[in-house]
Amino acid sequence: MKRVISLLAAVMLIVLLAACGGGTSAPRTLRIGVALYQQDDTFISSVARELQRAAQEAEQSGDVKINLYITDGKGSQTVQNEQIDRFLDRKYDVICVNIVDRTAAAVIIDKAETANIPVIFFNRQPVEEDLRRWEHAYYVGLPAGDAGMMQGQLVLDAWRADQNSIDKNGDGVLQYVMLEGEAGHQDALLRTEQCIAVLTEAGVAVERLASETANWQRGQAALRMRQWLQKGIGEIEVVFANNDDMALGAIDAWQEAGLPMEELPFIVGVDATPPALEALQAGTLKGTVRNDAVGLAEGLMQFITAFAQGQQLSAAVPLTDDHYLWLQYEPVTRQTPQ
């Protein structure tokens, strides 16, 4: 009899424990593949950090666990394709792609559709026709031409405020050099075109002394600037750089040449990275355009949490044309509150 009572007590204890534990369910785990074009890019590395922060905040505010798997394409579309294939083969919940070659998006989208896994491109915009191949292909980014226009406006404002400080030879013509990103890259093309268009449309006479590709890299930009200085191509009054790393490379080359810092050209970049903001405060960089790393990360997380919660995407994300989440650039100078 004692054995029967003990057995019943044990059974009742097990039932009670099971009942108590039944109300607690493990949070759902989302596996998110993040394919970066090149992780050592200063701006892209900041986006990756912000995405990790946004994922942690989403975990704290909701019943979900988010595992980010971040890969580095090292500037190779072939490498990135292999990484994305692994994400698809392993049935990740969402794939986020900072694409190496924007013309390669169609293949990625078709594979994602076959696997029925949403794909969100960011920072590097695919061709519009490719993005429309599937209803669950999206883009988060900023209009590339706007950054160029803001660069041009920064220079135009300075020219109007104190032309003599920029027009060092007093000829009434703005002599400039251009440090471009990748050859054929949409952002590089639009930034290069629009920054000059702002000046010419305002009636400022300009003369391009040189223009070279530096692939968004500080070291390559420093090399290009050194070559121009050594060749004595002319009195450089303005340096337009498609991003901050290249702008900083131009400053590096000037300093390494031992030239007077008070004669440094008027240099502008894009991204507002922490090193660039330091250069702004030091007075060596004259202006930049804030590329929204926080907004990109939080925009991606809006998509991810909407998918996780089964929300209607149009209600959860402010989409344009069903596929785009657009953010905005912001001009930054030494006087801009940080």
Side-chain angles (χ1 to χ4, degrees), residues 84-99:
I84 293 170
D85 285 345
R86 286 196 293 273
F87 293 156
L88 295 171
D89 291 341
R90 295 171 184 175
K91 304 297 183 184
Y92 283 19
D93 295 284
V94 180
I95 295 175
C96 305
V97 181
N98 170 227
I99 197 165

Side-chain angles (χ1 to χ4, degrees), residues 18-60:
C20 291
T24 304
S25 59
R28 181 186 173 190
T29 298
L30 292 179
R31 297 185 301 161
I32 311 300
V34 182
L36 305 180
Y37 100 95
Q38 190 160 290
Q39 196 160 7
D40 65 2
D41 180 290
T42 304
F43 178 71
I44 293 303
S45 66
S46 68
V47 174
R49 287 194 301 271
E50 291 296 337
L51 186 57
Q52 290 168 328
R53 176 197 57 78
Q56 291 174 352
E57 290 182 356
E59 287 181 335
Q60 293 169 0

Side-chain angles (χ1 to χ4, degrees), residues 67-141:
N67 289 340
L68 296 177
Y69 300 86
I70 299 175
T71 59
D72 182 359
K74 299 187 182 299
S76 167
Q77 190 59 59
T78 300
V79 171
Q80 188 175 70
N81 285 344
E82 292 171 353
Q83 294 166 343
I84 293 170
D85 285 345
R86 286 196 293 273
F87 293 156
L88 295 171
D89 291 341
R90 295 171 184 175
K91 304 297 183 184
Y92 283 19
D93 295 284
V94 180
I95 295 175
C96 305
V97 181
N98 170 227
I99 197 165
V100 175
D101 179 0
R102 68 190 293 260
T103 64
V107 173
I108 296 171
I109 292 168
D110 289 347
K111 288 181 177 180
E113 182 180 12
T114 299
N116 197 29
I117 297 174
V119 57
I120 311 163
F121 295 89
F122 65 98
N123 186 248
R124 291 175 157 226
Q125 184 182 350
V127 177
E128 182 178 356
E129 291 77 8
D130 291 342
L131 205 64
R132 296 189 182 281
R133 294 172 74 91
W134 185 39
E135 62 178 332
H136 293 308
Y138 306 95
Y139 177 70
V140 182

Side-chain angles (χ1 to χ4, degrees), residues 222-233:
L223 175 61
R224 299 286 183 261
M225 188 70 173
R226 280 197 299 270
Q227 291 170 338
W228 293 334
L229 293 173
Q230 291 166 1
K231 290 178 181 177
I233 62 168

